[in-house]
């Protein structure tokens, strides 16, 4: 009986992992002549989505409680704009600017977490207000794009970490693969969150509350405090993700990271996180992000399709996994 329960909970994760490998293998076969088989192609997926990995880790923590946060895209845009404005217009050094950016994310987490957990306002309404507020504050700072020219920040953004593996050019020259520090930071954050959710009291409380908040309360768990902590953690990770996102773009503008909240939610759901809460892992979420990145890479490599096909494909996958969640939930109730 226990084996059946474990299989049902991990079925979505298994499907996600298999889907990623099938999609990537298909890309390697179809676009082998365009360099898709190079290891650098996979590393580019990680480089381009480092910020999203960080943001989606926080989104997963919130969704495990049965909540949601649709403000993360606006928070990312605000963080990028603040970083650019502080360094370029205010003369603030890069270290202080990054600290302010992280504090912005924490502030969003504290305010939204308080409203959701202690005032018991619907998470969608609270974070919708946060989304509008973040985007509005971004436009108040500047309606024009601000390019970052700070030497320290550009040094961080352009620093390459070369790996001992790579590929050979047509002339036989070895070209080493590389990553940026953003990937290292994203992986470290993912590992920390995975450990927190699996091995700490806070992680166990989050799963218990997501599974059944009423039962968790009867067990003596402080439901409000745990939800509040989840939103604060989500805000901090949104700030970190905004910083990583800014390292990739080296600029701040109003329309930046538009739709990023949908990418984060989609990656979490595709990664096996139930919308109702209680089921999901950061590990699955990373594969959800990799699937999104693979779709984007396939469309870019193809060359003739619009970038909007990434959204279309993600929407189709999101609908598929939501239906799958519903079917699995119905089967559990019958059993």
């Amino acid at each position: 009986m226990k084996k059946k329960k474990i299989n049902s909970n991990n079925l979505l994760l298994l499907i996600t992992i298999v889907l990623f490998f099938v999609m990537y293998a298909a890309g390697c076969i179809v676009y082998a002549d365009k360099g898709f088989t190079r290891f650098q192609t996979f590393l580019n997926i990680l480089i381009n989505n480092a910020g999203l990995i960080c943001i989606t880790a926080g989104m997963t923590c919130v969704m495990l409680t049965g909540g949601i946060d649709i403000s993360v895209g606006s928070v990312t845009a605000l963080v990028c704009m603040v970083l650019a404005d502080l360094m370029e217009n205010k003369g603030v050094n890069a270290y202080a600017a990054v600290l302010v950016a992280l504090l912005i994310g924490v502030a969003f987490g504290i305010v939204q977490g308080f409203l959701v957990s202690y005032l018991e306002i619907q998470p969608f309404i609270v974070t919708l207000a946060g989304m509008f507020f973040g985007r509005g504050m971004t436009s108040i700072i500047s309606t024009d794009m601000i390019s970052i020219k700070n030497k320290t920040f550009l040094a961080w953004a352009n620093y390459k970490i070369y790996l001992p593996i790579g590929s050979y050019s047509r002339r036989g020259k070895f070209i080493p693969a590389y990553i940026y520090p953003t990937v290292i930071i994203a992986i470290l954050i993912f590992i920390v969150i995975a450990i927190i959710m699996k091995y700490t009291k806070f992680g166990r409380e989050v799963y218990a509350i997501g599974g059944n908040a009423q039962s968790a309360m009867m067990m003596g768990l402080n439901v409000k405090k745990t939800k509040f902590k989840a939103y604060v953690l989500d805000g901090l990770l949104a700030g970190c993700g905004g910083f990583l996102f800014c390292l990739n773009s080296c600029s701040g503008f109003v329309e930046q990271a538009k739709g990023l909240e949908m990418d984060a939610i989609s990656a979490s759901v595709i990664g096996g996180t139930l919308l109702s809460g209680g089921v999901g892992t950061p590990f699955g979420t990373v594969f959800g992000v990799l699937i999104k990145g693979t779709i984007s890479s396939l469309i870019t490599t193809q060359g003739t399709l619009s970038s909007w096909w990434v959204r279309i494909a993600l929407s189709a996958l999101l609908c598929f996994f939501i239906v799958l969640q519903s079917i699995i939930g119905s089967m559990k109730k019958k059993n």
Side-chain angles (χ1 to χ4, degrees), residues 147-162:
S147 297
I148 297 175
K149 299 176 183 178
N150 181 280
K151 291 183 179 180
T152 302
F153 195 87
L154 289 179
W156 295 343
N158 296 323
Y159 185 79
K160 290 183 179 180
I161 301 172
Y162 290 97

Side-chain angles (χ1 to χ4, degrees), residues 5 65 112 125 127 159 176 199 204 218 292 295 302 318:
K5 183 178 179 182
T65 67
Q112 293 183 156
I125 300 300
T127 56
Y159 185 79
Y199 297 107
R204 291 189 291 270
M218 293 176 66
K292 181 263 176 189
I295 293 172
Q302 200 276 336
L318 181 60

Side-chain angles (χ1 to χ4, degrees), residues 7-322:
N7 287 338
S8 64
N9 284 345
N10 292 336
L11 179 60
L12 290 172
L13 174 60
L14 179 62
I15 292 173
T16 300
I17 294 173
V18 171
L19 179 62
F20 165 69
F21 282 109
V22 169
M23 289 177 60
Y24 200 86
C28 290
I29 294 171
V30 176
Y31 299 118
D33 58 331
K34 294 185 178 182
F36 203 88
T37 55
R38 294 177 182 173
F39 186 58
Q40 186 61 52
T41 300
F42 174 74
L43 294 180
N44 287 340
I45 293 176
L46 291 177
I47 292 170
N48 294 332
N49 293 280
L52 183 59
I53 289 174
C54 185
I55 292 167
T56 310
M59 180 70 75
T60 300
C61 295
V62 165
M63 289 179 66
L64 284 172
T65 67
I68 201 166
D69 183 1
I70 61 172
S71 70
V72 291
S74 296
V75 172
T76 299
L78 180 59
V79 165
C80 291
M81 181 63 81
V82 168
L83 282 169
D85 182 63
L86 287 177
M87 287 185 285
E88 298 307 311
N89 297 335
K90 304 295 190 302
V92 178
N93 67 70
Y95 297 97
V98 171
L99 179 60
V100 172
L102 296 180
L103 290 176
I104 288 173
V106 173
F108 266 82
I110 290 173
V111 173
Q112 293 183 156
F114 178 79
L115 294 175
V116 170
S117 58
Y118 289 100
L119 298 188
E120 298 182 354
I121 304 174
Q122 285 294 324
F124 181 83
I125 300 300
V126 171
T127 56
L128 178 66
M131 180 179 74
F132 289 140
F133 178 79
R135 195 66 66 174
M137 288 300 297
T138 304
S139 63
I140 286 176
I141 295 172
S142 177
T143 56
D144 299 323
M145 187 179 76
I146 303 175
S147 297
I148 297 175
K149 299 176 183 178
N150 181 280
K151 291 183 179 180
T152 302
F153 195 87
L154 289 179
W156 295 343
N158 296 323
Y159 185 79
K160 290 183 179 180
I161 301 172
Y162 290 97
L163 305 178
I165 54 177
S167 58
Y168 287 90
S169 65
R170 293 179 179 179
R171 296 181 178 180
K173 183 180 179 181
F174 178 72
I175 304 173
Y178 63 88
I179 56 174
Y180 290 102
T182 53
V183 176
I184 303 296
I185 296 172
I187 291 174
L188 290 176
I189 288 174
F190 153 69
I191 293 173
V192 170
I193 296 301
I195 292 172
I196 289 174
M197 298 309 297
K198 187 172 179 63
Y199 297 107
T200 68
K201 180 183 176 183
F202 168 73
R204 291 189 291 270
E205 288 177 348
V206 166
Y207 280 103
I209 291 168
N212 192 315
Q214 193 66 32
S215 297
M217 190 179 296
M218 293 176 66
M219 290 168 58
L221 301 182
N222 192 329
V223 174
K224 292 182 178 180
K225 185 178 180 181
T226 302
K227 281 187 176 182
F228 176 74
K229 288 181 179 179
Y231 275 91
V232 173
L233 179 60
D234 172 56
L236 174 61
L237 293 179
C240 292
F243 166 58
L244 299 183
F245 196 91
C246 193
L247 282 173
N248 275 348
S249 65
C250 290
S251 63
F253 54 96
V254 176
E255 296 298 313
Q256 198 166 21
K258 201 168 185 179
L260 188 67
E261 59 278 347
M262 291 299 105
D263 289 339
I265 294 170
S266 299
S268 293
V269 174
I270 293 171
T273 304
L274 292 183
L275 288 169
S276 57
V279 175
T281 63
F283 181 73
T285 296
V286 170
F287 274 95
V289 174
L290 290 177
I291 286 176
K292 181 263 176 189
T294 302
I295 293 172
S296 180
S297 184
L298 287 171
I299 290 173
T300 302
T301 305
Q302 200 276 336
T304 60
L305 292 175
S306 168
S307 60
W308 282 104
W309 278 100
V310 177
R311 302 286 185 194
I312 294 171
L314 275 179
S315 298
L317 282 175
L318 181 60
C319 290
F320 169 73
F321 276 89
I322 289 174

